[in-house]
């Protein structure tokens, strides 16, 4: 069978043997009634790992972020976000549609908001204006390259927000990548925030699920919000069992994915028509730009028959993500395949689309 290197996302990771075994024997109950013992174990473990009082198992990162915003803010409130954040770009405007919240996007260089710009964006109480209620951070920052916020950057941003009475929610879909890359305890990154969502289903390889963590009273509200948006699950302990394996067995190995991403970025340097941004490769993502007339779609379509699958980020920008399903050898294979395709002039002339 022809070789395939799946670089579209770390969401493509498959459950491990140990997860499948744990799922098969998981003790379960009705979690809407709060009676699933495996979910209880997962929620306790997740809360402890990120240093929060409590946590809640949710079906997806998107639902975790939505429940967090619904629990921190009221309709008509404003939520400050980074312009390329997943909450602003990729969550179908759920906060606006379901929560009646206004999102206020701020620009940033590499996904790292500056405390002064957040301070400038926080509104004084005024009869005409929405209330500034929440600041959202994203670590690692997906669309800006998988870049990391450090503990001191996180603290400085939280300080500004907290002084003005805002809550801080961290979209930490890949917070363990950020912790592993910086060689620090994840609590250094989650300690200053009021809530954090992180995904079990990405680099950690669980088939389904994310966690939302925070204070006990916040999680109680979030549990109601999860029910409202249809995320109350029944015997989901079978999924939580895989989530426990993810947290206990899969965190440290993320370092391998980071090494592989750097290896990939290095190997793709110097191709005609394609610029690979080495400077943003801090974790498991490699982003690149095609020079017009070559579009990202054309680049992706030409790589596919060679078994190299990658994702489009914008008309000229693309993304490759390393994960447990991609070995160092796969990286070398993929890089060689792409080099083979793009070192020589294209056999059929490329036409600009649009
Ligand atoms: N990201 C997915 C796509 O939706 C883009 C991916 O392949 O990277 N926050 C961040 C930072 C994310 O990257 C994602 C998923 C989510 C939240 C949402 O998680 P899910 O997919 O579980 O709803």
């Amino acid at each position: 069978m022809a070789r395939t290197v799946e670089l579209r996302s770390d969401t493509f990771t498959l459950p491990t043997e140990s997860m499948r075994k744990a799922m098969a024997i998981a003790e379960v109950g009705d979690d809407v009634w709060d009676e699933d013992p495996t979910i209880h174990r997962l929620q306790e473990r997740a809360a402890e790992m990120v240093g929060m009082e409590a946590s809640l198992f949710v079906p997806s990162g998107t639902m975790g972020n939505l429940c967090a915003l619904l629990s921190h803010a009221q309709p008509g409130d404003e939520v400050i976000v980074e312009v390329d954040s997943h909450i602003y770009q990729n969550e179908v405007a759920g906060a606006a549609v379901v929560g009646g919240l206004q999102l206020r996007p701020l620009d940033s260089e590499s996904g790292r908001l500056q405390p002064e710009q957040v301070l400038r964006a926080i509104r004084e109480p005024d009869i005409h204006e929405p209330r500034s209620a929440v600041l959202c951070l994203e670590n690692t920052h997906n669309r800006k390259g998988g870049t990391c916020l450090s503990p001191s950057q996180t603290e400085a941003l939280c300080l500004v927000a907290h002084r003005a009475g805002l809550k801080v929610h961290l979209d930490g879909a890949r917070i363990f990548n950020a912790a592993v890359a910086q060689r620090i305890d994840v609590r250094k990154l989650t300690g200053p925030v009021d809530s954090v969502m992180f995904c079990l289903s990405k680099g950690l390889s669980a088939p389904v699920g994310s966690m939302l963590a925070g204070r006990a009273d916040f999680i109680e509200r979030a549990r109601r919000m999860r029910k409202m948006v249809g995320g109350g699950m029944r015997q989901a302990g079978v999924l939580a069992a895989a989530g426990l394996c993810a947290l206990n067995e899969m965190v440290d190995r993320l370092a391998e994915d980071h090494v592989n991403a750097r290896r990939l970025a290095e190997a793709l340097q110097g191709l005609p028509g394609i610029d690979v941004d080495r400077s943003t490769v801090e974790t498991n993502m490699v982003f690149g730009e095609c020079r017009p007339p070559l579009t990202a779609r054309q680049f992706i379509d030409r790589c596919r028959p060679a078994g190299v699958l990658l994702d489009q980020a914008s008309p000229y920008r693309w993304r490759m993500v390393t994960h447990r399903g991609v070995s160092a050898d796969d990286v070398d294979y993929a890089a060689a395949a792409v080099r083979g395709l793009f070192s020589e002039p294209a056999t059929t002339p490329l036409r600009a689309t649009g």
Side-chain angles (χ1 to χ4, degrees):
M1 209 173 88
R3 186 163 176 175
T4 298
V5 185
E6 179 55 82
L7 295 164
R8 284 176 294 176
S9 182
D10 47 9
T11 58
F12 283 87
T13 44
L14 299 173
T16 62
E17 255 324 285
S18 139
M19 287 177 189
R20 288 184 182 275
K21 283 190 185 135
M23 292 172 82
I25 58 166
E27 234 189 302
V28 295
D30 191 330
D31 185 56
V32 171
W33 291 61
D34 205 11
E35 288 181 15
D36 187 302
T38 310
I39 292 189
H40 287 167
R41 277 172 52 221
L42 173 66
Q43 290 176 166
E44 279 159 27
R45 175 78 180 120
E48 179 218 320
M49 280 176 88
V50 295
M52 296 286 185
E53 277 177 15
S55 86
L56 186 69
F57 185 45
V58 286
S60 68
T62 301
M63 192 185 283
N65 283 335
L66 179 61
C67 290
L69 295 183
L70 295 175
S71 306
H72 281 315
Q74 300 297 320
D77 282 351
E78 189 166 73
V79 176
I80 299 174
V81 292
E82 199 275 341
V83 67
D84 280 327
S85 62
H86 197 273
I87 289 178
Y88 189 59
Q89 298 284 352
N90 294 99
E91 300 191 4
V92 210
V97 176
V98 185
L101 299 171
Q102 172 161 291
L103 297 186
R104 169 99 174 261
L106 304 183
D107 272 325
S108 85
E109 186 54 28
S110 53
R112 294 178 262 256
L113 292 172
Q114 298 303 314
E116 313 75 59
Q117 81 183 125
V118 171
L119 190 59
R120 280 197 300 276
I122 295 174
R123 299 171 188 272
E124 298 286 329
D126 186 307
I127 183 79
H128 306 89
E129 299 184 28
R131 184 179 76 102
S132 301
V134 187
L135 166 67
C136 290
L137 306 177
E138 187 172 309
N139 196 10
T140 64
H141 195 295
N142 182 346
R143 291 170 72 95
K144 289 273 165 59
T147 47
C148 300
L149 276 174
S150 69
S152 62
Q153 287 162 341
T154 309
E155 275 161 27
L157 286 160
C158 289
L159 192 68
V160 163
H162 287 152
R163 273 195 186 141
L166 278 73
K167 298 291 184 199
V168 180
H169 172 65
L170 171 60
D171 176 347
R174 297 182 180 83
I175 195 66
F176 288 102
N177 292 85
V180 166
Q182 296 175 79
R183 295 195 173 87
I184 51 173
D185 188 313
V186 72
R187 279 173 280 212
K188 291 250 182 306
L189 301 171
T190 55
V193 304
D194 298 285
S195 58
V196 55
M197 181 287 290
F198 60 92
C199 295
L200 304 168
S201 60
K202 300 199 162 65
L204 300 183
S205 301
V208 178
S210 295
M211 305 305 299
L212 177 61
R215 278 174 40 166
D217 57 340
F218 164 82
I219 291 298
E220 219 175 282
R221 289 197 298 281
R223 174 180 289 279
R224 284 186 69 77
M225 296 304 143
R226 182 186 68 171
K227 188 75 184 89
M228 185 181 81
V229 295
M233 296 182 286
R234 303 296 176 177
Q235 287 74 27
V238 286
L239 300 175
L244 274 163
C245 298
L247 290 181
N248 293 332
E249 298 163 18
M250 306 306 287
V251 172
D252 294 343
R253 66 149 307 287
L254 294 173
E256 274 174 50
D257 302 339
H258 303 168
V259 171
N260 282 336
R262 282 196 296 276
R263 187 184 181 97
L264 184 59
E266 291 299 332
L268 293 174
Q269 294 301 307
L271 283 170
I274 298 161
D275 296 311
V276 177
D277 195 350
R278 248 185 305 192
S279 68
T280 61
V281 184
E282 298 176 21
T283 55
N284 68 331
M285 294 185 183
V286 178
F287 277 78
E289 293 270 343
C290 295
R291 274 181 237 145
L294 180 67
T295 64
R297 180 43 50 207
Q298 289 168 334
F299 178 52
I300 292 165
D301 289 347
R302 282 186 62 193
C303 290
R304 183 173 266 277
V308 180
L309 307 185
L310 61 147
D311 190 25
Q312 181 169 1
S314 71
Y316 293 97
R317 203 164 138 80
W318 48 265
R319 180 185 79 161
M320 295 181 179
V321 186
T322 55
H323 52 79
R324 196 183 110 253
V326 177
S327 65
D329 194 56
D330 288 332
V331 163
D332 294 344
Y333 169 84
V338 175
R339 293 201 79 85
L341 284 169
F342 285 88
S343 298
E344 303 100 49
T347 43
T348 48
L350 292 170
R351 262 169 288 137
T353 53

